[in-house]
């Protein structure tokens, strides 16, 4: 079954800095999802990456997918405090049913 | 826009009791998923339904059962509750359509078993 690993698991950064979260997955997949979760809250969909080379951007966040390397990245540009949250990547655990297998999550703390 | 609705939002139960969690998917969505998230953990898939039929099953204990009704709402029934069942339970819905599109998550039900 698909395994998803994120790196790093915890990230503390200063406002205004850039950083990248990495998401590796174990088996071939043509899609990858990124979600954001605030403490005790629901999961908010950020990006759906549906093909090799896909790149999507929303504000200070940009996600990309390399299916050959089985790698997705979430790049944070000029971080602000409001981006503090836990970010999960997830891949399809089944080609037939759509269930998601999540990475461990990366907790991002942006300090003023 | 309408979102996924879950009820109750919080639930406190004693060991060995029973709990029922409800999920109302986004209108016209045909697939419902249930996930369990323990403290500090990633969400774990439990079970899913497509067009009212069970479509997949994950690491769901035999003490748990679920179904999707004719109006597409779903219920997760949990019996003989254990302390380890304390977690956030999320329901998500999607419209399969031509492919596996985004799953939209509900606010979750926080279950505490004492």
């Amino acid at each position: 079954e698909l395994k998803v690993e994120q790196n790093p698991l915890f990230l503390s950064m200063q406002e205004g800095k850039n950083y990248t979260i990495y998401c590796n997955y174990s088996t071939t997949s043509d899609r990858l999802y990124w979600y954001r979760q605030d403490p005790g809250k629901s999961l908010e969909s950020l990006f759906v990456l549906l093909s090799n080379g896909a790149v999507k951007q929303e504000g200070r966040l940009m996600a990309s997918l390399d299916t050959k390397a089985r790698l997705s990245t979430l790049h944070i540009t000029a971080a602000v405090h409001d981006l503090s949250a836990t970010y999960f990547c997830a891949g399809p655990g089944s080609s037939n049913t759509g269930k998601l297998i999540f990475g461990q999550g990366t907790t991002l703390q942006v300090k003023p | 826009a309408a979102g996924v609705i879950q009820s109750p939002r919080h639930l406190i139960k004693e060991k060995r009791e029973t709990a029922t969690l409800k999920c109302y998917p986004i209108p016209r969505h045909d697939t419902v998923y249930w996930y369990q998230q323990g403290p500090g953990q990633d969400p774990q898939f439990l079970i899913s339904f497509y067009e009212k039929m069970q479509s997949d099953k994950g690491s769901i204990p035999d003490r748990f059962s679920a179904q999707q009704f004719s109006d597409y709402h779903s219920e997760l029934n949990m019996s003989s509750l254990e302390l380890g069942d304390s977690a956030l339970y999320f329901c998500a819905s999607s419209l399969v359509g031509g492919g596996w599109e985004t799953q939209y998550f509900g606010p979750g039900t926080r279950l505490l078993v004492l």
Side-chain angles (χ1 to χ4, degrees):
Chain A
E1 188 177 68
L2 179 74
K3 285 185 170 43
V4 182
E5 290 191 356
Q6 291 182 230
N7 175 40
L9 300 185
F10 183 79
L11 180 54
S12 179
M13 56 194 296
Q14 297 285 341
E15 278 193 330
K17 298 292 187 184
N18 304 332
Y19 210 84
T20 301
I21 298 171
Y22 298 88
C23 174
N24 291 92
Y25 53 95
S26 61
T27 61
T28 302
S29 174
D30 61 354
R31 64 197 62 217
L32 198 288
Y33 304 81
W34 284 95
Y35 284 87
R36 167 182 171 146
Q37 186 178 38
D38 291 298
K41 302 293 186 182
S42 184
L43 291 105
E44 174 192 355
S45 175
L46 294 175
F47 301 107
V48 181
L49 303 167
L50 296 175
S51 62
N52 186 40
V55 177
K56 290 196 174 179
Q57 182 161 5
E58 181 73 33
R60 300 175 188 274
L61 300 177
M62 183 173 71
S64 65
L65 179 63
D66 182 342
T67 57
K68 293 177 182 174
R70 299 178 188 167
L71 171 69
S72 179
T73 60
L74 181 65
H75 186 73
I76 303 149
T77 301
V80 292
H81 179 68
D82 285 352
L83 290 179
S84 298
T86 297
Y87 294 85
F88 289 98
C89 63
S94 165
S95 59
N96 298 322
T97 65
K99 71 178 181 185
L100 292 179
I101 305 296
F102 286 82
Q104 312 97 307
T106 297
T107 298
L108 173 65
Q109 183 183 72
V110 181
K111 300 180 193 174
Chain B
V4 177
I5 297 171
Q6 290 187 247
S7 68
R9 296 289 307 277
H10 302 272
L11 194 55
I12 299 175
K13 291 285 184 179
E14 301 273 340
K15 278 172 51 179
R16 292 180 289 278
E17 284 190 323
T18 296
T20 297
L21 279 53
K22 296 185 179 183
C23 169
Y24 298 85
I26 292 172
R28 292 186 297 281
H29 279 194
D30 53 20
T31 307
V32 165
Y33 309 83
W34 286 95
Y35 293 86
Q36 177 192 57
Q37 186 179 29
Q41 305 291 316
D42 55 286
Q44 296 289 315
F45 171 75
L46 292 177
I47 195 165
S48 63
F49 294 87
Y50 169 67
E51 284 291 346
K52 294 158 279 184
M53 298 287 290
Q54 182 181 308
S55 55
D56 204 346
K57 199 169 180 180
S59 48
I60 182 169
D62 291 341
R63 302 177 287 108
F64 293 8
S65 65
Q67 57 181 324
Q68 187 177 31
F69 294 86
S70 58
D71 64 350
Y72 289 90
H73 95 272
S74 178
E75 295 184 4
L76 177 66
N77 298 294
M78 310 161 70
S79 62
S80 302
L81 286 169
E82 301 175 356
L83 296 179
D85 296 329
S86 296
L88 258 176
Y89 290 84
F90 289 109
C91 170
S93 75
S94 69
L95 178 62
V96 172
W100 299 105
E101 301 299 335
T102 301
Q103 290 182 29
Y104 295 91
F105 283 74
T109 294
R110 184 174 295 281
L111 172 66
L112 178 60
V113 181
L114 301 175

